[in-house]
mmCIF file of all heavy atoms in Angstrom:
data_model
loop_
_atom_site.group_PDB
_atom_site.id
_atom_site.type_symbol
_atom_site.label_atom_id
_atom_site.label_comp_id
_atom_site.label_asym_id
_atom_site.label_seq_id
_atom_site.Cartn_x
_atom_site.Cartn_y
_atom_site.Cartn_z
ATOM 1 N N CYS A 223 186.583 24.884 -23.803
ATOM 2 C CA CYS A 223 185.941 24.370 -22.591
ATOM 3 C C CYS A 223 184.954 23.235 -22.831
ATOM 4 O O CYS A 223 184.677 22.454 -21.930
ATOM 5 C CB CYS A 223 185.256 25.498 -21.837
ATOM 6 S SG CYS A 223 183.731 26.095 -22.594
ATOM 7 N N GLY A 224 184.380 23.133 -24.023
ATOM 8 C CA GLY A 224 183.454 22.052 -24.333
ATOM 9 C C GLY A 224 182.021 22.284 -23.916
ATOM 10 O O GLY A 224 181.160 21.453 -24.180
ATOM 11 N N ALA A 225 181.719 23.409 -23.273
ATOM 12 C CA ALA A 225 180.355 23.663 -22.795
ATOM 13 C C ALA A 225 179.353 23.818 -23.935
ATOM 14 O O ALA A 225 178.161 23.617 -23.747
ATOM 15 C CB ALA A 225 180.331 24.909 -21.912
ATOM 16 N N CYS A 226 179.830 24.151 -25.124
ATOM 17 C CA CYS A 226 178.940 24.384 -26.271
ATOM 18 C C CYS A 226 178.849 23.173 -27.203
ATOM 19 O O CYS A 226 178.322 23.283 -28.313
ATOM 20 C CB CYS A 226 179.425 25.593 -27.068
ATOM 21 S SG CYS A 226 180.989 25.291 -27.928
ATOM 22 N N THR A 227 179.312 22.025 -26.765
ATOM 23 C CA THR A 227 179.344 20.846 -27.623
ATOM 24 C C THR A 227 177.937 20.422 -28.039
ATOM 25 O O THR A 227 177.029 20.337 -27.225
ATOM 26 C CB THR A 227 180.044 19.676 -26.912
ATOM 27 O OG1 THR A 227 181.362 20.102 -26.527
ATOM 28 C CG2 THR A 227 180.167 18.467 -27.814
ATOM 29 N N VAL A 228 177.788 20.182 -29.334
ATOM 30 C CA VAL A 228 176.551 19.657 -29.922
ATOM 31 C C VAL A 228 176.938 18.499 -30.834
ATOM 32 O O VAL A 228 178.124 18.292 -31.129
ATOM 33 C CB VAL A 228 175.780 20.729 -30.732
ATOM 34 C CG1 VAL A 228 175.354 21.886 -29.840
ATOM 35 C CG2 VAL A 228 176.578 21.218 -31.919
ATOM 36 N N LEU A 229 175.954 17.758 -31.285
ATOM 37 C CA LEU A 229 176.207 16.751 -32.308
ATOM 38 C C LEU A 229 175.857 17.361 -33.653
ATOM 39 O O LEU A 229 174.762 17.902 -33.829
ATOM 40 C CB LEU A 229 175.364 15.498 -32.076
ATOM 41 C CG LEU A 229 175.614 14.735 -30.785
ATOM 42 C CD1 LEU A 229 174.685 13.528 -30.703
ATOM 43 C CD2 LEU A 229 177.058 14.309 -30.665
ATOM 44 N N LEU A 230 176.785 17.308 -34.577
ATOM 45 C CA LEU A 230 176.570 17.780 -35.935
ATOM 46 C C LEU A 230 176.655 16.547 -36.814
ATOM 47 O O LEU A 230 177.726 15.954 -36.948
ATOM 48 C CB LEU A 230 177.619 18.825 -36.314
ATOM 49 C CG LEU A 230 177.473 19.519 -37.656
ATOM 50 C CD1 LEU A 230 176.135 20.230 -37.777
ATOM 51 C CD2 LEU A 230 178.616 20.511 -37.863
ATOM 52 N N ASP A 231 175.518 16.111 -37.327
ATOM 53 C CA ASP A 231 175.423 14.846 -38.057
ATOM 54 C C ASP A 231 175.981 13.691 -37.240
ATOM 55 O O ASP A 231 176.660 12.807 -37.744
ATOM 56 C CB ASP A 231 176.113 14.937 -39.417
ATOM 57 C CG ASP A 231 175.414 15.864 -40.378
ATOM 58 O OD1 ASP A 231 174.205 16.095 -40.204
ATOM 59 O OD2 ASP A 231 176.072 16.360 -41.309
ATOM 60 N N GLY A 232 175.713 13.728 -35.926
ATOM 61 C CA GLY A 232 176.110 12.643 -35.038
ATOM 62 C C GLY A 232 177.503 12.729 -34.472
ATOM 63 O O GLY A 232 177.878 11.929 -33.629
ATOM 64 N N GLU A 233 178.288 13.705 -34.891
ATOM 65 C CA GLU A 233 179.656 13.873 -34.403
ATOM 66 C C GLU A 233 179.726 15.068 -33.458
ATOM 67 O O GLU A 233 179.118 16.110 -33.721
ATOM 68 C CB GLU A 233 180.616 14.116 -35.574
ATOM 69 C CG GLU A 233 180.693 12.981 -36.569
ATOM 70 C CD GLU A 233 181.487 11.802 -36.050
ATOM 71 O OE1 GLU A 233 182.463 12.026 -35.308
ATOM 72 O OE2 GLU A 233 181.118 10.668 -36.386
ATOM 73 N N ALA A 234 180.486 14.939 -32.380
ATOM 74 C CA ALA A 234 180.643 16.047 -31.445
ATOM 75 C C ALA A 234 181.337 17.214 -32.133
ATOM 76 O O ALA A 234 182.334 17.040 -32.837
ATOM 77 C CB ALA A 234 181.455 15.602 -30.228
ATOM 78 N N ALA A 235 180.788 18.414 -31.932
ATOM 79 C CA ALA A 235 181.360 19.626 -32.529
ATOM 80 C C ALA A 235 181.190 20.781 -31.552
ATOM 81 O O ALA A 235 180.188 20.861 -30.834
ATOM 82 C CB ALA A 235 180.664 19.952 -33.849
ATOM 83 N N ARG A 236 182.149 21.666 -31.530
ATOM 84 C CA ARG A 236 182.083 22.874 -30.705
ATOM 85 C C ARG A 236 181.271 23.922 -31.463
ATOM 86 O O ARG A 236 181.739 24.489 -32.440
ATOM 87 C CB ARG A 236 183.469 23.421 -30.411
ATOM 88 C CG ARG A 236 184.407 22.438 -29.737
ATOM 89 C CD ARG A 236 183.944 22.119 -28.321
ATOM 90 N NE ARG A 236 185.052 21.654 -27.530
ATOM 91 C CZ ARG A 236 185.104 20.457 -26.993
ATOM 92 N NH1 ARG A 236 184.114 19.617 -27.158
ATOM 93 N NH2 ARG A 236 186.142 20.103 -26.273
ATOM 94 N N SER A 237 180.070 24.190 -31.010
ATOM 95 C CA SER A 237 179.180 25.085 -31.754
ATOM 96 C C SER A 237 179.641 26.534 -31.745
ATOM 97 O O SER A 237 179.206 27.321 -32.580
ATOM 98 C CB SER A 237 177.751 24.970 -31.232
ATOM 99 O OG SER A 237 177.662 25.392 -29.887
ATOM 100 N N CYS A 238 180.541 26.892 -30.844
ATOM 101 C CA CYS A 238 181.065 28.260 -30.855
ATOM 102 C C CYS A 238 182.071 28.462 -31.988
ATOM 103 O O CYS A 238 182.379 29.597 -32.353
ATOM 104 C CB CYS A 238 181.691 28.628 -29.514
ATOM 105 S SG CYS A 238 183.283 27.818 -29.159
ATOM 106 N N LEU A 239 182.570 27.373 -32.550
ATOM 107 C CA LEU A 239 183.551 27.445 -33.641
ATOM 108 C C LEU A 239 182.947 27.176 -35.012
ATOM 109 O O LEU A 239 183.630 27.293 -36.023
ATOM 110 C CB LEU A 239 184.689 26.442 -33.401
ATOM 111 C CG LEU A 239 185.527 26.651 -32.156
ATOM 112 C CD1 LEU A 239 186.598 25.569 -32.057
ATOM 113 C CD2 LEU A 239 186.161 28.032 -32.153
ATOM 114 N N VAL A 240 181.665 26.799 -35.033
ATOM 115 C CA VAL A 240 180.987 26.483 -36.285
ATOM 116 C C VAL A 240 180.073 27.649 -36.642
ATOM 117 O O VAL A 240 179.290 28.102 -35.810
ATOM 118 C CB VAL A 240 180.141 25.194 -36.140
ATOM 119 C CG1 VAL A 240 179.346 24.906 -37.400
ATOM 120 C CG2 VAL A 240 181.027 24.009 -35.778
ATOM 121 N N LEU A 241 180.196 28.132 -37.851
ATOM 122 C CA LEU A 241 179.256 29.154 -38.304
ATOM 123 C C LEU A 241 177.919 28.487 -38.599
ATOM 124 O O LEU A 241 177.881 27.355 -39.093
ATOM 125 C CB LEU A 241 179.786 29.862 -39.546
ATOM 126 C CG LEU A 241 181.050 30.679 -39.347
ATOM 127 C CD1 LEU A 241 181.564 31.205 -40.678
ATOM 128 C CD2 LEU A 241 180.816 31.825 -38.371
ATOM 129 N N ALA A 242 176.846 29.183 -38.306
ATOM 130 C CA ALA A 242 175.520 28.625 -38.545
ATOM 131 C C ALA A 242 175.365 28.192 -39.996
ATOM 132 O O ALA A 242 174.786 27.140 -40.276
ATOM 133 C CB ALA A 242 174.444 29.640 -38.158
ATOM 134 N N VAL A 243 175.918 28.966 -40.942
ATOM 135 C CA VAL A 243 175.779 28.623 -42.361
ATOM 136 C C VAL A 243 176.487 27.313 -42.702
ATOM 137 O O VAL A 243 176.129 26.653 -43.673
ATOM 138 C CB VAL A 243 176.270 29.769 -43.279
ATOM 139 C CG1 VAL A 243 175.389 30.996 -43.118
ATOM 140 C CG2 VAL A 243 177.730 30.099 -43.038
ATOM 141 N N GLN A 244 177.468 26.912 -41.902
ATOM 142 C CA GLN A 244 178.143 25.642 -42.130
ATOM 143 C C GLN A 244 177.247 24.454 -41.768
ATOM 144 O O GLN A 244 177.501 23.337 -42.197
ATOM 145 C CB GLN A 244 179.442 25.565 -41.324
ATOM 146 C CG GLN A 244 180.507 26.518 -41.816
ATOM 147 C CD GLN A 244 181.723 26.508 -40.909
ATOM 148 O OE1 GLN A 244 181.662 26.934 -39.757
ATOM 149 N NE2 GLN A 244 182.829 26.010 -41.436
ATOM 150 N N ALA A 245 176.203 24.709 -40.991
ATOM 151 C CA ALA A 245 175.272 23.646 -40.605
ATOM 152 C C ALA A 245 174.113 23.518 -41.589
ATOM 153 O O ALA A 245 173.247 22.658 -41.415
ATOM 154 C CB ALA A 245 174.735 23.911 -39.201
ATOM 155 N N ASP A 246 174.102 24.331 -42.629
ATOM 156 C CA ASP A 246 173.033 24.282 -43.624
ATOM 157 C C ASP A 246 172.926 22.878 -44.211
ATOM 158 O O ASP A 246 173.915 22.292 -44.661
ATOM 159 C CB ASP A 246 173.314 25.294 -44.741
ATOM 160 C CG ASP A 246 172.161 25.434 -45.707
ATOM 161 O OD1 ASP A 246 171.001 25.335 -45.279
ATOM 162 O OD2 ASP A 246 172.424 25.626 -46.915
ATOM 163 N N GLY A 247 171.719 22.315 -44.159
ATOM 164 C CA GLY A 247 171.480 20.982 -44.697
ATOM 165 C C GLY A 247 171.892 19.847 -43.778
ATOM 166 O O GLY A 247 171.810 18.683 -44.162
ATOM 167 N N HIS A 248 172.321 20.163 -42.568
ATOM 168 C CA HIS A 248 172.811 19.144 -41.637
ATOM 169 C C HIS A 248 171.851 18.961 -40.467
ATOM 170 O O HIS A 248 170.914 19.716 -40.288
ATOM 171 C CB HIS A 248 174.202 19.517 -41.126
ATOM 172 C CG HIS A 248 175.233 19.526 -42.204
ATOM 173 N ND1 HIS A 248 175.853 18.386 -42.642
ATOM 174 C CD2 HIS A 248 175.721 20.545 -42.955
ATOM 175 C CE1 HIS A 248 176.711 18.692 -43.615
ATOM 176 N NE2 HIS A 248 176.643 19.999 -43.826
ATOM 177 N N GLN A 249 172.150 17.944 -39.661
ATOM 178 C CA GLN A 249 171.374 17.649 -38.460
ATOM 179 C C GLN A 249 172.174 18.073 -37.235
ATOM 180 O O GLN A 249 173.326 17.672 -37.077
ATOM 181 C CB GLN A 249 171.075 16.161 -38.369
ATOM 182 C CG GLN A 249 170.169 15.667 -39.460
ATOM 183 C CD GLN A 249 169.886 14.179 -39.313
ATOM 184 O OE1 GLN A 249 170.162 13.570 -38.290
ATOM 185 N NE2 GLN A 249 169.313 13.601 -40.352
ATOM 186 N N VAL A 250 171.544 18.865 -36.387
ATOM 187 C CA VAL A 250 172.163 19.329 -35.155
ATOM 188 C C VAL A 250 171.359 18.750 -33.993
ATOM 189 O O VAL A 250 170.126 18.810 -33.991
ATOM 190 C CB VAL A 250 172.160 20.874 -35.070
ATOM 191 C CG1 VAL A 250 172.735 21.345 -33.740
ATOM 192 C CG2 VAL A 250 172.938 21.470 -36.241
ATOM 193 N N THR A 251 172.062 18.198 -33.022
ATOM 194 C CA THR A 251 171.408 17.698 -31.817
ATOM 195 C C THR A 251 172.061 18.372 -30.621
ATOM 196 O O THR A 251 173.277 18.327 -30.464
ATOM 197 C CB THR A 251 171.544 16.166 -31.691
ATOM 198 O OG1 THR A 251 171.067 15.557 -32.895
ATOM 199 C CG2 THR A 251 170.741 15.650 -30.502
#
């Protein structure tokens, strides 16, 4: 659906499909 879209290092990403540990060391907006 795209409702959970965030920027992960400036790229659009579905945050429901990304594990929090995969964002370690990255920038989330």
Side-chain angles (χ1 to χ4, degrees):
C223 74
C226 69
T227 303
V228 298
L229 298 179
L230 185 58
D231 292 336
E233 298 285 326
R236 303 292 203 242
S237 64
C238 72
L239 298 179
V240 176
L241 295 174
V243 295
Q244 291 174 293
D246 188 35
H248 295 278
Q249 294 181 13
V250 177
T251 306

